[in-house]
Amino acid sequence: EWTGIYDVQKADAFQSSAVSGRPITIEFDANAHGEGLRFSPVLNTVQAKTGELVQVNFRVQNLTDHPITGQAVPSYGPKHAANFVKKLECFCFRQQTFAPGEVRDMPVVFALDRHLPDDVGTVTLSYTFFEVPGAAADSAAAGKTVKPAAAGT
């Protein structure tokens, strides 16, 4: 599996595969765990083909008067579709810190593998943003950026 923005060559090879892509509906869902963040997809649904690079944005708004650090955790529907989602860029790769009142659009760049099973016509990418208690305050007090979380898919 490859994830990360440094995999551009792999993305080019992935896109130029001889296997033709088929149409897929991709749905997006977003949830915030906690009261301080509003989190939503900019688009709820896109039409794409397997093997095609897709970029979508999710919007986060800090509803508080203090910085909040959060970590987005992805999930997929159907569950086995997770093995066929190849992300190149995602806000879920690291913790994010939001200033008071900040609104930020964050991209996800991915492709669905051409070998996605034929019985899957719709894939749902869902993210839940969890607040990381103390991380924003600790980061501000130390004058440092928040350390990245472990890379995930």
Side-chain angles (χ1 to χ4, degrees):
E1 176 172 315
W2 42 277
T3 55
I5 137 176
Y6 299 107
D7 290 320
V8 173
Q9 290 177 334
K10 289 182 182 178
D12 290 341
F14 182 80
Q15 250 190 321
S16 64
S17 168
V19 180
S20 61
R22 66 181 174 89
I24 296 289
T25 299
I26 307 168
E27 299 175 338
F28 304 99
D29 178 56
N31 303 283
H33 189 266
E35 302 290 321
L37 297 174
R38 179 179 296 141
F39 180 46
S40 61
V42 173
L43 296 174
N44 292 320
T45 305
V46 297
Q47 300 295 318
K49 290 187 176 183
T50 55
E52 178 178 80
L53 284 180
V54 177
Q55 178 172 331
V56 295
N57 288 307
F58 284 74
R59 183 166 294 145
V60 174
Q61 179 180 7
N62 180 348
L63 302 173
T64 73
D65 61 358
H66 58 274
I68 293 179
T69 296
Q71 175 73 50
V73 177
S75 61
Y76 307 90
K79 187 175 181 178
H80 68 280
N83 298 325
F84 301 92
V85 177
K86 308 301 180 187
K87 292 182 193 168
L88 283 97
E89 180 180 349
C90 184
F91 54 87
C92 64
F93 290 163
R94 67 182 199 285
Q95 292 180 359
Q96 306 285 330
T97 299
F98 305 97
E102 179 182 1
V103 177
R104 185 186 313 166
D105 284 354
M106 300 179 299
V108 178
V109 179
F110 66 94
L112 295 175
D113 191 300
R114 286 183 168 90
H115 297 102
L116 181 72
D118 289 337
D119 66 335
V120 178
T122 300
V123 173
T124 302
L125 275 69
S126 179
Y127 293 91
T128 301
F129 233 107
F130 292 92
E131 293 180 30
V132 179
D138 293 346
S139 178
K144 299 178 182 176
T145 58
V146 176
K147 290 183 180 180
T153 57

